[in-house]
Amino acid sequence: MEIPFVDLTQQYQNISSEIDAVIRDVISSCSFIKGKHVSDFESMYRDSYGVKEFISVANGTDAIYIALKSLGIGPGDEVITVANSWISSSETISQTGATPVFVDIHPDYYTMDTSLLDSKIGPNTKAIIPVHLFGHAVDMDAVMAIAKAHGLFVVEDCAQAHFAQFNGQRVGTFGDVGTFSFFPGKNLGAYGDAGGIICNDPDLSRKMRMFANHGALVKHAHEIEGINSRMDGLQAAILSVKLPHLSKWTAQRQHNADLYYQKLSGISEIQVPQTDSRVAHVYHLYVIRAEKRDELRAFLQKKGVATGIHYPTPLPFLKAYERFGFLPSDFPVAHDYQLKILSLPMYPELSESQIDYVVDSIGEFYEK
Ligand SMILES: *Cc1c(COP(=O)(O)O)cnc(C)c1O
């Protein structure tokens, strides 16, 4: 059996007639940049979150950068983010001229360990970027309490957490803004790069919309200098077809996670992911910790099971951050987990027989 890590082909086949129709519509109406499909998707996403504004942008990385710039973050400032994430969560801080400050991960939930936040706050701290990694929400009670006490902005990186909840509330709606990626493999994925920002503050929304469009809300009326970060019509049209399916796809991911939990429970060499009881996890990734991880991964590869590592090197230990000279003891949990974590195949269309095959193959490896 061949089990891919994600299967975008199968999802396309299930909705191909709708997708093909909207693609033809975008092309025949030549609404390639901005236009009706983009404004329609903006209202759909905004309404699905019940927020005042949704600003479509070119990708999830720009979404963070645009938010930070529009909040006035720049040289001399510090922004706190997490030691294990995709590099967008920290490179965007540096791009504004500010300095990223990393916090170690929680040993159970893989997300920012909020008990360490206070120790990272100094006179130059301006903002916190909680990353709802793998689809598991960060403890937003803790983040918001600390942000309030110190007057910090909160930019929630929701790239892996569409529809995830903390205390029954959607992530992205706690902080000043919530940023999303619609990269093809994300829980809501376009057929190219796309991203967006949700926000309830009209002034901040206006700034972000302007900054993302060369500093102009009206053509040629450049109030500031900005960047070119726009969602294109094709991506917006495709996302509008997919968004109504997202609740069902999320439930399918959660069901698949339940199956993994049941079936993996007998394998003592594996640690399954834990969920904070206040969190509704959306399982962008199902990340286990495994003894002899690299040998297991190679064995699964031979059996036709594709896996991933998210991420092979925690952010502070990347060459890109050599300048800080971090030691393993600065981020002991992230450092320890980098050799143990393994992401198993996870997508809505994954079948129970495929899950059985993945689990049986893991069992076979440890019985050898
Ligand atoms: C994917 C991702 C991003 C960036 O999104 P792009 O659309 O690829 O630019 C940011 N943060 C996290 C945690 C991600 O997983």
Side-chain angles (χ1 to χ4, degrees):
M1 210 187 272
E2 287 288 328
I3 304 182
F5 187 61
V6 286
D7 191 348
L8 299 177
T9 312
Q10 210 183 326
Q11 190 185 74
Y12 167 66
Q13 282 161 356
N14 293 341
I15 54 173
S16 62
S17 57
E18 278 179 280
I19 294 280
D20 294 356
V22 295
I23 289 176
R24 267 195 304 276
D25 189 38
V26 173
I27 295 171
S28 60
S29 63
C30 293
S31 51
F32 298 122
I33 302 286
K34 297 266 182 193
K36 176 182 175 299
H37 298 93
V38 174
S39 53
D40 285 354
F41 177 65
E42 286 195 334
S43 349
M44 270 177 87
Y45 204 78
R46 187 190 64 214
D47 295 349
S48 80
Y49 268 84
V51 291
K52 290 205 183 104
E53 299 279 349
F54 172 73
I55 299 126
S56 61
V57 299
N59 57 69
T61 308
D62 281 2
I64 304 170
Y65 176 67
I66 291 162
L68 293 174
K69 285 291 281 188
S70 303
L71 287 166
I73 308 292
D77 297 338
E78 290 181 359
V79 178
I80 298 174
T81 188
V82 67
N84 192 38
S85 183
W86 179 243
I87 194 167
S88 306
S89 310
S90 53
E91 67 183 350
T92 48
I93 299 169
S94 307
Q95 282 158 8
T96 68
T99 304
V101 173
F102 298 101
V103 177
D104 204 358
I105 58 170
H106 190 285
D108 292 332
Y109 309 133
Y110 300 128
T111 49
M112 174 182 274
D113 185 344
T114 53
S115 71
L116 302 171
L117 267 177
D118 258 329
S119 68
K120 300 284 178 168
I121 293 172
N124 299 322
T125 310
K126 289 285 152 49
I128 306 172
I129 304 183
V131 183
H132 306 296
L133 199 73
F134 306 156
H136 185 288
V138 177
D139 178 348
M140 290 309 293
D141 278 349
V143 171
M144 294 314 293
I146 290 164
K148 204 165 168 215
H150 298 271
L152 308 176
F153 296 120
V154 175
V155 174
E156 295 180 68
D157 182 348
C158 311
Q160 303 188 2
H162 314 72
F163 288 10
Q165 295 179 358
F166 181 79
N167 275 341
Q169 182 181 338
R170 291 255 180 97
V171 300
T173 62
F174 290 85
D176 295 278
V177 304
T179 66
F180 292 85
S181 167
F182 305 113
F183 178 81
K186 299 288 160 79
N187 286 23
L188 179 63
Y191 289 174
D193 278 312
I197 310 168
I198 57 175
C199 182
N200 275 314
D201 174 344
D203 288 336
L204 179 59
S205 298
R206 183 177 187 280
K207 277 189 202 155
M208 294 192 291
R209 197 176 282 285
M210 195 155 69
F211 185 74
N213 189 41
H214 300 291
L217 290 171
V218 175
K219 200 166 189 181
H220 301 307
H222 305 279
E223 295 178 40
I224 54 168
E225 286 182 322
I227 60 170
N228 175 5
S229 183
R230 298 175 298 220
M231 187 183 286
D232 66 73
L234 279 171
Q235 305 313 331
I238 289 159
L239 289 168
S240 300
V241 169
K242 288 180 138 201
L243 180 57
H245 296 278
L246 185 56
S247 294
K248 175 189 68 198
W249 288 335
T250 303
Q252 287 172 323
R253 286 176 183 274
Q254 290 164 336
H255 174 71
N256 291 339
D258 286 344
L259 293 176
Y260 270 132
Y261 281 119
Q262 288 164 24
K263 294 168 196 279
L264 285 169
S265 65
I267 305 176
S268 60
E269 293 89 346
I270 294 291
Q271 307 282 313
V272 293
Q274 306 289 307
T275 306
D276 182 325
S277 59
R278 296 165 294 180
V279 169
H281 198 321
V282 296
Y283 297 100
H284 173 58
L285 295 171
Y286 189 87
V287 180
I288 61 169
R289 296 197 303 286
E291 287 176 22
K292 298 191 269 176
R293 191 266 320 264
D294 291 337
E295 291 100 308
L296 170 64
R297 187 166 194 228
F299 180 80
L300 292 174
Q301 187 69 47
K302 264 195 256 147
K303 300 282 290 183
V305 177
T307 56
I309 299 174
H310 299 88
Y311 293 90
T313 307
L315 295 171
F317 305 122
L318 290 170
K319 186 159 188 298
Y321 297 112
E322 217 171 37
R323 64 182 184 277
F324 294 117
F326 289 123
L327 300 171
S329 55
D330 293 326
F331 307 98
V333 183
H335 188 266
D336 176 39
Y337 282 12
Q338 68 181 323
L339 299 176
K340 298 178 177 165
I341 48 176
L342 185 68
S343 311
L344 301 182
M346 172 53 85
Y347 46 91
E349 299 78 11
L350 194 64
S351 69
E352 182 159 2
S353 60
Q354 287 176 308
I355 292 171
D356 281 333
Y357 183 79
V358 174
V359 174
D360 290 347
S361 302
I362 295 172
E364 197 183 320
F365 171 76
Y366 288 113
E367 277 156 24
K368 275 193 307 169

